[in-house]
Amino acid sequence: MGLLTDPRAGNGEMAKFILKWEKPFCYLLYLSGIIWMMLLAHPYFNDNTYYSENALLPGLVKKESNLMPAAKQFQYEISSERERFPDRMPYAWILAKFHQLHLEVYTHNFTLNYPFRKTKFQGQNVYGIVRAPRAARTEAIVVSVPYRPVTSVYTDTTPGIALLLSFAQFCRKQKYWAKDIIFLVTEHEQLGMQAWLDAYHGVTSGHEGILVSGDLSGRAGSIQAAINLEFHSMAVTSIDVKIEGLNGQLPNLDLFNLAQNMINKEAIRRTFQRRFDTFEKDKVKRWWYHFTTLMFMTFTQATGVPNGNHGLFHRYGIEAVTLEGFDNPKDGARRDPYHVGRVVESIVRSLNNLLERFHQSFFFYLLLCTDRYISIALYMLALVFMIAGLFIKAFSTWLRLQDSSSKSEPAEKSDEKVKELEEASEFSVGSIAAEILWTHAIGASLMSAPKFITPLIMQQFGLKTEDATYHTFLIITILSVLWPMFNMRRRSRYNDTALVCVITTVEFGTALMCVAMHNFSLAFLTAVFYVPIILAVYPKSASSSWLQKTLYILWPVLHPFFITSIIILVYTYLNYADETFLNILVRSLNATKQAFVLSIIDSMVYGNWLYNVTVAVMLPIWLIYWNVISGRTPMTT
């Protein structure tokens, strides 16, 4: 407790060591985090996947299904209906097929009130239920497919609907089901799934009045697991298992293992992140493959956006994955619906064996391929190293402030000198609190501002939603970067500015820890970009001129607006490298505009907190450090 109460208690050996080696030690910790993350791709630091839940009895059931004849017939019929209704789902045909299969059939209507203008979008889901004949019907499994019309920009999923119908026909005749099976066809991609889940559980996940989920006229038991099907062809050469969910949540690792093993048993090539497992003998090439796959998962998870309808189940404690089937002759032999149907059958029958909810295995993990994983106990160390550097920097700055205060204690001085030294050693609490509060107030106001400001700009200037949003953020960014020019006369005392640095550094480290508990990838990537710069930020009088100039150039580039635009530009270049640079810039600009709008809408509709974290946490931190970098802080102590 001495360090907390007595300023002179900080002069111990440990404190002296920290003060002397603070900068190299902090940067060493940062590099250790990067190196540790890279080492995790080595087989010594990861492990083979395995089952923790023996009740699944994976692969031990005798598979009985042959879905190929029925699936081909359903595919032929739905293709004809799809051409008749190019803009919407053929509800009547799907309802009729469910009725013919003797399922309990229901429809679900939902409405999206577009938040930026007075426009309503209607949607309808169709689902049928096979009741469990061998149990009390208190539990259920969901098999779902998103319907995509001809006009959709996404790949066709009607083969998945044909497979779902043929599997429902098979399930209806079996007597061993211990859980209800819900066969669900959703409209409007994730909107339909979110509305159905909200209605099923009687909750509202986003803002009130945006997505009106309505009511369900039929329910089954408590949903234990879900399988979402996205097959683009009746015959497939590979199946990709997608796991990333809303806000970075992941399903239980046992479910991922179950899907991968059942795919492998049917001799279908399996992938993760659309990448086939490597069999390179060269250790360096194998390490590079695993590391790049790890980074692909990290970038996907960091967005907080689900890469399939499965990702919306996780917030309700429901484990779910998406099986996406591809037909590419270059990937290997084609497997027909007979084998694909047996994959679905074996997964659902294994889930039917569950005696309780998934509770064993891992819910926090990173994957390197289809059968190797990294546990949270290992990968969290990478972020811990970086955050440790932040707290050491904050602690050393605090020690220097305490040491300067103790040195300024008067001995036999004149009254005027005593008063001057006492004022120098004190902190202006009001000034510090005001600076922290106004920056966070700006961030908090921006969380709800788009809902009110964007429609106003659209109405006044006749702009599209994405243009209005983009220009609003661009103006805010320019004003925040130019803020020092409007505040040239501001002079802060060194002690006040140093204490602001301490508080903000601790806040940033704490925010990273909190985010990492839910979405490690987002926290890690944020630390990679910001920590090395923050470690170099000190009040101007404590920094060298060349370092100050470097920070003055680098920090505006790390503004959330700019860094998002840069990331999208790099992503666009990687995907359209063959096009001219001008076309890449145009594509990148359009993608950035859409990304800003979608991040806000995702926050309102699904509860994705990427936008909220960015404007309410990262933007205030950026503003405070920008004030420190660009402010004038004469040494008064």
Side-chain angles (χ1 to χ4, degrees):
M1 294 296 292
L3 288 175
L4 300 178
T5 56
D6 186 1
R8 288 176 291 273
N11 293 324
E13 294 301 322
M14 181 63 72
K16 290 179 180 178
F17 176 83
I18 292 176
L19 290 173
K20 182 178 181 180
W21 300 102
E22 171 211 343
K23 289 185 179 179
F25 189 41
C26 289
Y27 280 104
L28 179 62
L29 286 171
Y30 173 79
L31 291 176
S32 299
I34 300 293
I35 294 172
W36 181 255
M37 195 67 177
M38 298 175 69
L39 287 175
L40 291 177
H42 191 277
Y44 183 80
F45 297 95
N46 51 71
D47 203 355
N48 288 318
T49 56
Y50 60 91
Y51 287 104
S52 296
E53 181 55 83
N54 294 324
L56 285 168
L57 301 176
L60 297 183
V61 298
K62 181 181 178 181
K63 289 171 278 191
E64 303 171 353
S65 66
N66 182 5
L67 308 184
M68 186 162 62
K72 287 186 174 181
Q73 179 61 32
F74 287 132
Q75 170 67 9
Y76 173 77
E77 295 179 17
I78 195 173
S79 297
S80 300
E81 291 294 320
R82 189 167 180 263
E83 296 298 328
R84 291 179 56 197
F85 303 96
D87 298 323
R88 60 188 180 89
M89 187 165 71
Y91 310 107
W93 183 87
I94 297 176
L95 283 170
K97 292 303 173 183
F98 274 159
H99 280 294
Q100 290 175 13
L101 298 177
H102 304 289
L103 276 61
E104 292 185 20
V105 187
Y106 305 95
T107 58
H108 168 235
N109 299 307
F110 62 92
T111 303
L112 173 68
N113 296 313
Y114 193 67
F116 298 128
R117 59 175 180 263
K118 295 181 179 180
T119 305
K120 292 186 177 182
F121 297 94
Q122 304 290 336
Q124 189 176 66
N125 301 320
V126 180
Y127 63 103
I129 304 174
V130 172
R131 297 294 181 180
R134 301 287 297 274
R137 302 178 180 179
T138 57
E139 297 177 343
I141 303 169
V142 173
V143 181
S144 66
V145 178
Y147 179 81
R148 294 169 181 170
V150 176
T151 55
S152 174
V153 297
Y154 299 104
T155 312
D156 178 27
T157 57
T158 51
I161 297 177
L163 184 68
L164 178 141
L165 291 171
S166 56
F167 183 60
Q169 184 181 46
F170 166 78
C171 293
R172 183 66 181 82
K173 300 175 183 178
Q174 310 308 314
K175 302 298 181 183
Y176 46 67
W177 300 116
K179 295 176 174 60
D180 295 342
I181 304 178
I182 304 172
F183 297 94
L184 171 64
V185 181
T186 61
E187 191 177 20
H188 299 315
E189 297 298 324
Q190 295 178 12
L191 282 174
M193 181 60 75
Q194 184 63 64
W196 189 85
L197 285 169
D198 279 354
Y200 195 91
H201 295 90
V203 299
T204 300
S205 299
H207 292 192
E208 290 286 346
I210 302 296
L211 181 61
V212 182
S213 59
D215 298 318
L216 294 183
S217 51
R219 284 183 172 81
S222 174
I223 301 173
Q224 305 296 297
I227 306 296
N228 185 56
L229 306 178
E230 292 184 9
F231 289 96
H232 312 307
S233 174
M234 293 300 293
V236 300
T237 54
S238 64
I239 296 179
D240 188 67
V241 181
K242 301 195 289 189
I243 58 174
E244 289 83 2
L246 183 69
N247 293 327
Q249 284 187 272
L250 301 172
N252 188 277
L253 187 55
D254 275 344
L255 181 58
F256 174 81
N257 297 337
L258 173 65
Q260 292 287 5
N261 287 350
M262 296 305 101
I263 294 168
N264 192 49
K265 273 184 171 293
E266 293 300 322
I268 302 175
R269 296 196 69 183
R270 52 185 183 168
T271 65
F272 175 65
Q273 294 293 328
R274 297 289 303 276
R275 292 162 64 86
F276 296 103
D277 290 347
T278 183
F279 298 99
E280 285 282 354
K281 294 183 179 179
D282 187 284
K283 293 183 179 179
V284 175
K285 291 182 179 179
R286 190 163 62 249
W287 169 85
W288 177 248
Y289 167 83
H290 286 154
F291 179 71
T292 52
T293 305
L294 173 63
M295 288 298 99
F296 280 135
M297 178 181 178
T298 301
F299 281 107
T300 304
Q301 186 185 25
T303 64
V305 178
N307 58 350
N309 282 0
H310 69 280
L312 300 173
F313 283 86
H314 301 156
R315 62 147 47 104
Y316 305 95
I318 302 169
E319 311 311 316
V321 296
T322 288
L323 306 182
E324 186 172 12
F326 298 93
D327 182 16
N328 187 348
K330 296 180 181 179
D331 293 339
R334 303 179 74 194
R335 311 298 287 179
D336 55 37
Y338 171 78
H339 299 280
V340 177
R342 288 165 75 90
V343 170
V344 178
E345 179 199 357
S346 56
I347 293 174
V348 175
R349 290 189 66 178
S350 296
L351 295 173
N352 186 61
N353 294 333
L354 278 178
L355 302 176
E356 52 190 337
R357 283 184 179 273
F358 284 99
H359 64 284
Q360 301 189 76
S361 193
F362 294 91
F363 290 90
F364 300 94
Y365 53 88
L366 294 175
L367 294 173
L368 304 161
C369 57
T370 61
D371 57 2
R372 296 196 71 84
Y373 78 102
I374 306 168
S375 72
I376 186 174
L378 292 176
Y379 69 69
M380 191 60 76
L381 285 175
L383 186 63
V384 169
F385 284 139
M386 297 183 183
I387 294 176
L390 292 174
F391 283 108
I392 289 174
K393 175 185 182 292
F395 181 59
S396 62
T397 306
W398 175 252
L399 286 180
R400 289 190 181 93
L401 286 175
Q402 296 287 55
D403 189 57
S404 63
S405 298
S406 62
K407 288 181 180 178
S408 63
E409 291 181 359
E412 296 179 359
K413 307 282 185 180
S414 63
D415 293 342
E416 293 182 1
K417 189 64 176 178
V418 170
K419 184 177 180 180
E420 180 181 345
L421 289 173
E422 287 178 347
E423 289 178 352
S425 63
E426 293 177 353
F427 299 108
S428 176
V429 178
S431 175
I432 296 171
E435 183 169 356
I436 294 175
L437 285 175
W438 77 259
T439 52
H440 286 77
I442 291 175
S445 62
L446 285 177
M447 281 198 303
S448 56
K451 186 177 180 180
F452 306 102
I453 295 178
T454 302
L456 182 63
I457 295 176
M458 292 169 60
Q459 183 178 3
Q460 293 295 324
F461 299 97
L463 297 175
K464 296 180 180 179
T465 304
E466 55 267 26
D467 291 329
T469 304
Y470 181 83
H471 292 145
T472 300
F473 281 115
L474 181 60
I475 292 172
I476 293 172
T477 302
I478 293 173
L479 290 176
S480 59
V481 172
L482 296 179
W483 170 249
M485 297 181 61
F486 300 106
N487 201 24
M488 291 297 293
R489 296 183 178 181
R490 182 181 67 88
R491 294 175 61 90
S492 299
R493 296 191 306 175
Y494 177 82
N495 281 12
D496 292 347
T497 305
L499 185 56
V500 168
C501 284
V502 172
I503 295 172
T504 309
T505 304
V506 171
E507 178 190 4
F508 182 60
T510 305
L512 289 179
M513 287 192 297
C514 294
V515 172
M517 293 296 102
H518 209 58
N519 190 341
F520 166 81
S521 298
L522 177 58
F524 176 76
L525 292 178
T526 304
V528 168
F529 283 110
Y530 285 93
V531 167
I533 310 300
I534 288 176
L535 291 178
V537 175
Y538 288 91
K540 184 177 292 187
S541 58
S543 304
S544 59
S545 58
W546 68 268
L547 180 58
Q548 195 69 25
K549 293 177 181 178
T550 304
L551 292 174
Y552 204 83
I553 296 172
L554 286 179
W555 194 248
V557 178
L558 292 179
H559 190 286
F561 178 90
F562 288 139
I563 201 169
T564 302
S565 302
I566 292 171
I567 291 174
I568 294 176
L569 175 61
V570 173
Y571 181 81
T572 305
Y573 173 77
L574 294 176
N575 285 273
Y576 301 96
D578 297 333
E579 297 190 10
T580 63
F581 185 68
L582 181 60
N583 288 339
I584 292 175
L585 285 178
V586 172
R587 283 183 178 272
S588 174
L589 178 61
N590 293 332
T592 303
K593 293 178 179 179
Q594 293 174 3
F596 288 147
V597 174
L598 291 176
S599 64
I600 298 171
I601 293 177
D602 284 352
S603 172
M604 295 179 177
V605 176
Y606 305 109
N608 185 334
W609 39 258
L610 176 63
Y611 171 76
N612 296 334
V613 169
T614 302
V615 299
V617 179
M618 288 309 305
L619 183 59
I621 290 174
W622 185 92
L623 285 170
I624 293 174
Y625 279 121
W626 184 229
N627 284 339
V628 174
I629 293 171
S630 59
R632 295 184 295 172
T633 55
M635 177 71 77
T636 58
T637 58

